[in-house]
């Protein structure tokens, strides 16, 4: 897995440490990986779409339950 150096504001570091201390994550690395992944998924469903996305593909993973107008949040 690639390694990334990241500088974040102190208040975010403190919040991540709190989540680890509360048992939400096993360690800091897991917390950062999971939170980043969740943020990217949220951005993907609400932000700009890639040009190479096919219409109608991947709806189950992006919150669709098989109906055109049914979203799950």
């Amino acid at each position: 897995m690639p390694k990334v150096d990241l500088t974040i504001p102190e208040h975010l570091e403190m919040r991540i440490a709190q989540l680890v201390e509360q048992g939400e994550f096993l360690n800091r690395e897991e917390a950062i990986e999971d939170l980043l992944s969740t943020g990217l998924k949220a951005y993907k469903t609400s932000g700009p779409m890639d040009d190479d996305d096919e219409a109608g593909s991947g709806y189950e993973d992006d919150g669709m339950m098989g109906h055109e107008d049914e979203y799950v949040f």
Side-chain angles (χ1 to χ4, degrees), residues 19-69:
L19 291 170
V20 172
E21 288 174 16
Q22 293 170 355
E24 295 292 327
F25 301 99
L26 294 176
N27 55 46
R28 184 173 171 260
E29 183 178 330
E30 180 189 273
I32 292 170
E33 181 180 337
D34 191 43
L35 294 168
L36 182 59
S37 177
T38 301
L40 289 172
K41 286 177 187 174
Y43 180 79
K44 180 70 173 175
T45 59
S46 64
M49 299 297 284
D50 293 338
D51 290 339
D52 60 350
D53 284 348
E54 294 180 25
S57 68
Y59 285 124
E60 292 81 11
D61 293 335
D62 291 335
M64 292 294 287
M65 296 299 292
H67 303 285
E68 291 182 18
D69 59 350

